[in-house]
Structure formats: C-alpha cells, structure tokens
Amino acid sequence: MPGTIDSAGAGELRDEAHSVEVLDSEVVFPGRVWDIRRERFGYGEGEIVREFMEHPGAVAVLAVDDEDRVLVIQQYRHPIQTRDWELPAGLLDVEGEDPIEAARRELAEEADLAAAHWEPLITVHTSPGGSDEVIHVFRATGLSATETFARDAEEADIVLRWVALDEAVDAVLDSRVRNGVLVAAVLAAHARRDRA
C-alpha cells in the first residue's frame, strides 16, 4: 500500500516529533561505548518491536582556515575496515557538557587547534532507523595552535590534511569520501557559502 502523499505541500519542510507509547524497553546488549536497546511500542492498530543503538550523541567540527580550506582527518574505523576521511569529532560523553564545549575539546584533542569563532553548521541524525544518535556539527574559524595532545588507539596515527572546500565537495560527489558527517557538513558549508 502506498504512503500518504502530501500533495498540498503546505508549510515549511520540517521533521515532526511524534511520541508513541513505549510498552517495554530493555538493554539487550551492554556495549563498551554504546548499548543496544530493544523496545516494544504501540503504533497504529498494533505493536512493533525494534532494536537500536542507544547513543549519547556527538559533535563534529568543520574547521575552515583563511584560505577557505577545511581540515579533514584520516583514521581507522573498524566496522568498515577503512582509514576514512572525516572531521574532528567525538562523543557527548561528559555529563552536562554543552555541545559547543565538546566541539572545542575535540578540535583541540584531535587537531591541536583552537578557534576564535564558532557557529552551528548542521545537525544530523546519522541512521534514524537503527540509532538515536544525533551529531551537532559546528563551523570553526579564526584558528590557532594549541598544545599537542597525546593520542592512542585509532587516534594514534591520525593524519591531518587541509583541502579546499571545492575539492572536498568534488570528493563527496565522486564518492571518494563516504563518511556521512563529512558529506553532510561539506555540502552544507558549500551551499551556505554559495548562498551568502
């Protein structure tokens, strides 16, 4: 059966919050970084059961220098067995920490940089069918060096590269880079620049 078509097209295009009655909720796999939760909830005339990754949320930083270049970092990601290009980013895993403060912390820890100017760029639900993760991406400018941070695990061999925003857009459109947050942030920054 086809879905309902909104032929009127009235109003602004916007996601809508929609609450349902959760009948049962339990962690079925407690993970090291995040858990897998199973919930049974009422929907329509029946009930549905879904498992999803319970995520604390995250931040990412699109750092832009005075030459309109963006900072990308490369590190190993085991689930895709790839050293992918992405943005400095990290979990919202400090109790009560504001996302902008987490973004400042991550830029320093992963790129040894501070920024004088910060602005929200885009907020993304990375995989809403399987996770409640939301990532707040900030645009950072007025960059300066900070102390050098020690890194371990996958961050031990991070590679940093500055690329022109247009070059980053080309890499996205050619599917040479596939990190979802990087893709969304680069395209958003490009669209905002061109609309300015």
Side-chain angles (χ1 to χ4, degrees):
M1 173 184 279
T4 304
I5 296 177
D6 180 8
S7 58
E12 182 179 60
L13 185 64
R14 176 183 296 272
D15 292 342
E16 297 176 14
H18 182 80
S19 295
V20 296
E21 182 183 3
V22 176
L23 305 169
D24 186 48
S25 181
E26 65 176 318
V27 172
V28 293
F29 177 80
R32 183 180 174 281
V33 178
W34 41 69
D35 299 333
I36 302 300
R37 178 170 292 280
R38 176 179 295 135
E39 290 190 342
R40 183 172 55 93
F41 57 95
Y43 196 83
E45 298 298 317
E47 295 178 3
I48 299 174
V49 175
R50 293 288 182 264
E51 290 89 18
F52 61 92
M53 181 179 67
E54 193 169 43
H55 198 284
V59 294
V61 181
L62 185 79
V64 183
D65 71 6
D66 294 337
E67 298 173 41
D68 203 30
R69 297 179 307 172
V70 298
L71 177 68
V72 292
I73 64 173
Q74 185 187 54
Q75 64 179 319
Y76 178 67
R77 293 301 188 185
H78 188 71
I80 58 174
Q81 295 191 17
T82 301
R83 289 183 52 79
D84 77 337
W85 288 102
E86 53 191 60
L87 300 178
L91 298 174
L92 287 170
D93 56 359
V94 175
E95 184 70 31
E97 186 176 33
D98 188 279
I100 189 75
E101 294 306 317
R104 285 187 173 99
R105 175 174 46 83
E106 291 299 333
L107 183 62
E109 289 177 1
E110 293 191 354
D112 304 320
L113 291 173
H117 309 288
W118 291 85
E119 62 182 306
L121 177 63
I122 192 170
T123 299
V124 180
H125 287 281
T126 57
S127 184
S131 173
D132 63 355
E133 179 182 21
V134 61
I135 295 186
H136 306 278
V137 183
F138 296 91
R139 183 176 184 271
T141 56
L143 304 171
S144 61
T146 65
E147 65 180 290
T148 301
F149 282 80
R151 298 178 182 92
D152 62 3
E154 294 96 338
E155 295 179 353
D157 59 354
I158 281 179
V159 175
L160 285 74
R161 182 183 292 177
W162 290 96
V163 298
L165 179 58
D166 289 335
E167 180 185 338
V169 169
D170 289 343
V172 166
L173 296 178
D174 291 343
S175 293
R176 289 182 278 121
V177 294
R178 296 185 176 132
N179 180 281
V181 175
L182 174 64
V183 168
V186 162
L187 295 180
H190 185 264
R192 286 190 182 198
R193 183 192 70 187
D194 288 355
R195 288 181 176 192

